Amino acid sequence: MVRPPRRLVVALVCSVVVLLGNVREASAHAGLEASTPSANSVLETGPTEVVLDFDESIETALTSITLFDGAGQPIPLETPTQGADSTVARASVSSAAIPLGDGVYAAVWRVTSADGHVVEGAFSFQVGAAAAGSGQALIDQIRDGIRADPAVRWWYGVARFLSLIGAITMIGGGWWLVRGPADIMLRRRSRWAAVVAWLALVIGSAAAFVLFAAQAVAGSLSDALSSGRWGDVAATQTGRMILLRIGLAIGLGALLTLSHHRAQGWWRDVAFTVGLLTLLTFPASGHPNAQSPSWLWIGIDFAHLVAIAVWIGGLLALCLASTATMERPDGERLARRFSLAASLCVPVIVATGVLQTLRLAGGLDDVTATDWGRLLLVKVTVVVALLAIAGVSRWLLHHDGAASIRRTVIAEFIIGVVVVGIAAGMVALPPVPQATAAPFETQLTNAGIIAVVSLSPGAVGGNDVHIIVTPPGGAITPVAGVTARVALPAQAIPFSPVTLVQEGPNHFSGSVTFPRSGDWTLEVLVQVTAADSVLLKTTVPIP
């Protein structure tokens, strides 16, 4: 019986522990499903708290809820706390601000979702039917401050790239260097490459941690240096994984100083395990962490990243080797081992990449509808070019020897770094189009009855309803009455009536509250005469 290598067993056990400790039910970027008060609702009395219900778990410690009055002045709220579960956040109105008087108000919120992405939004509501003012105008006035400074977002992307490319080159390249000819490790540029990769990993990870804190509070670069939020960030899944990565990187640095022991079994066991765990922190704090089941998708992305590290790291090792080394038999063996490994890694990279794309984007129909999808197409194009050059390298290796592939290997490595940069940029983008509310209007016909139905704003919360009916006898022929009701069958929400009043001949208006998103069924019953009625039905999509 063949026993698996000890270092592989240790690494797998540690990886399973991290994955199981991270199991959670999640979907994608957190979306607001319902709120109290509801968006666009009209209240008789002012609310005593603001409650937000999202479609996935959020990090309550990094949740921000701000309430503004009609003049754009903030109203004091208590620190947000978790509601009934980890998908709900609530903030009570300060006792000094209660009761809220008649007027228009806007709630601006910012949360960090399970995959570490910051999501923000705003909605308005009204207290008192006679209050004047535009909720949308108020939102436009005050929501400029709910997004982080562009410089924070740009440097956060740079930090993610540095940490990712540092991990791939140090761990993947190191794996190949300790198995290659000894003189490659002894070369000065090899030692410098290891130090630069380690610095990129440590500095990039540390910068990502502090910049994540600044992004979470929609701050500026100066906020990244404020330690006030670091504790809150450390309590999140993303923060914990970045801190773990920094700790593991420090461990890799210690192993780097002990590289003269690299031939010993304990050194390789520890380096192999720490390296794999370092790579695992990336999918455990990104998009896969927001998929369900998270352990499966983290595992798939982990395999994707390990295969990339083996491929890109091998290219780096070959770039660091001298021409004289590649002309020797041991250099030739290194190149051929890499060629074999690459031929195994590429199918893994492609298969896991396709699986993640289909899962994250929900298919390829709307892949160009988001910046994530457009970057994906750029990445695929660059990868195709990379594979073409890899094919040339493989042909040269088998026909002209290892010394002939130096230029194509350098080109492969440079393009591989570009691919990693694109991947780092994709991490911060939502893979599916963000649903936006829009007024709904449709024309329904049945048995000679024509009804034009419109709802505004077509969002979760309160909506204005207008129904204009044209009976068979023409627009001037009055109908006896109109009633309406709505239901959400997919979530077992039964029919509830829509309040309607007659505005004029065959014109009825009213209001309806949609407590959550989904495809709502709207039924309109037109009472043509006392004895004759016609039922009209439609679906109202509420994002």
Side-chain angles (χ1 to χ4, degrees):
M1 178 177 178
V2 178
R3 298 181 61 185
R6 182 177 58 185
R7 66 178 69 96
L8 180 59
V9 174
V10 173
L12 289 176
V13 170
C14 293
S15 300
V16 168
V17 170
V18 173
L19 288 175
L20 292 180
N22 189 56
V23 171
R24 67 170 74 191
E25 289 295 323
S27 51
H29 298 284
L32 184 65
E33 281 194 326
S35 65
T36 303
S38 298
N40 308 298
S41 59
V42 178
L43 310 177
E44 293 183 3
T45 59
T48 59
E49 65 177 356
V50 177
V51 182
L52 307 177
D53 188 359
F54 295 89
D55 58 5
E56 73 163 61
S57 296
I58 59 172
E59 303 287 2
T60 307
L62 295 180
T63 295
S64 168
I65 305 175
T66 310
L67 186 62
F68 294 88
D69 62 19
Q73 297 300 312
I75 296 171
L77 295 178
E78 304 292 344
T79 301
T81 58
Q82 181 176 307
D85 55 44
S86 60
T87 67
V88 179
R90 60 197 319 148
S92 299
V93 179
S94 173
S95 57
I98 297 176
L100 298 181
D102 291 357
V104 176
Y105 296 85
V108 178
W109 52 267
R110 184 188 317 105
V111 300
T112 301
S113 57
D115 57 2
H117 292 86
V118 178
V119 186
E120 62 268 325
F123 63 88
S124 65
F125 62 92
Q126 180 176 316
V127 177
S134 167
Q136 187 58 50
L138 177 58
I139 290 174
D140 293 340
Q141 175 187 343
I142 52 89
R143 74 176 302 171
D144 288 340
I146 71 173
R147 300 198 70 186
D149 189 300
V152 172
R153 300 195 297 272
W154 191 86
W155 281 109
Y156 187 35
V158 172
R160 286 195 306 269
F161 168 70
L162 285 177
S163 60
L164 183 58
I165 195 63
I168 288 173
T169 52
M170 183 180 185
I171 297 167
W175 191 84
W176 282 104
L177 287 174
V178 298
R179 286 161 177 78
D183 61 335
I184 301 181
M185 281 288 290
L186 297 176
R187 301 192 75 191
R188 177 178 296 181
R189 63 181 179 183
S190 296
R191 294 196 297 270
W192 272 109
V195 171
V196 170
W198 181 79
L199 288 174
L201 172 59
V202 174
I203 294 174
S205 299
F209 181 82
V210 298
L211 288 167
F212 176 53
Q215 175 133 319
V217 299
S220 61
L221 288 175
S222 60
D223 293 307
L225 303 178
S226 173
S227 60
R229 279 283 182 173
W230 292 357
D232 292 335
V233 171
T236 67
Q237 173 67 15
T238 299
R240 287 192 297 269
M241 287 297 104
I242 295 178
L243 288 178
L244 176 60
R245 186 185 310 150
I246 294 172
L248 292 169
I250 293 174
L252 287 173
L255 290 169
L256 190 62
T257 64
L258 300 173
S259 60
H260 54 281
H261 294 292
R262 63 183 180 275
Q264 300 181 22
W266 70 266
W267 191 94
R268 294 196 177 194
D269 288 345
V270 174
F272 185 80
T273 302
V274 174
L276 283 186
L277 289 177
T278 303
L279 292 177
L280 182 60
T281 62
F282 288 95
S285 61
H287 281 137
N289 183 51
Q291 304 303 307
S292 183
S294 59
W295 63 267
L296 173 62
W297 294 101
I298 289 175
I300 290 174
D301 193 51
F302 178 53
H304 183 77
L305 187 56
V306 169
I308 290 174
V310 172
W311 189 13
I312 302 298
L315 292 172
L316 176 61
L318 293 177
C319 289
L320 294 173
S322 65
T323 302
T325 300
M326 300 307 293
E327 290 175 343
R328 297 202 313 261
D330 53 355
E332 184 79 19
R333 284 195 299 272
L334 174 65
R336 290 185 179 275
R337 284 201 302 269
F338 167 75
S339 178
L340 176 61
S343 65
L344 297 175
C345 287
V346 168
V348 173
I349 294 171
V350 172
T352 53
V354 169
L355 284 174
Q356 292 179 87
T357 298
L358 294 177
R359 174 63 176 178
L360 291 172
L364 301 178
D365 294 341
D366 297 326
V367 72
T368 59
T370 63
D371 289 338
W372 184 91
R374 288 186 284 272
L375 263 183
L376 173 66
L377 294 181
V378 174
K379 178 183 174 183
V380 170
T381 302
V382 177
V383 168
V384 169
L386 179 60
L387 292 175
I389 297 175
V392 174
S393 296
R394 186 177 178 85
W395 188 91
L396 289 173
L397 174 63
H398 289 282
H399 288 79
D400 298 329
S404 65
I405 65 173
R406 183 170 182 79
R407 292 184 179 179
T408 55
V409 162
I410 293 174
E412 276 188 74
F413 178 73
I414 293 173
I415 296 177
V417 172
V418 172
V419 172
V420 173
I422 296 173
M426 292 173 64
V427 170
L429 301 174
V432 294
Q434 300 298 295
T436 56
F440 173 84
E441 183 171 333
T442 188
Q443 179 175 293
L444 308 176
T445 61
N446 187 18
I449 294 289
I450 301 174
V452 177
V453 180
S454 61
L455 294 95
S456 179
V460 171
N463 287 257
D464 293 329
V465 181
H466 289 272
I467 302 175
I468 300 175
V469 179
T470 302
I476 62 174
T477 304
V479 298
V482 172
T483 58
R485 61 180 188 170
V486 293
L488 186 57
Q491 298 187 28
I493 297 179
F495 278 104
S496 60
V498 177
T499 304
L500 294 175
V501 296
Q502 189 164 358
E503 297 284 351
N506 298 337
H507 180 191
F508 299 82
S509 69
S511 63
V512 60
T513 297
F514 296 110
R516 62 182 58 203
S517 59
D519 291 331
W520 288 77
T521 297
L522 170 65
E523 291 186 354
V524 178
L525 183 65
V526 180
Q527 198 70 38
V528 184
T529 65
D532 186 18
S533 62
V534 175
L535 179 65
L536 304 170
K537 184 184 295 187
T538 188
T539 299
V540 181
I542 299 298

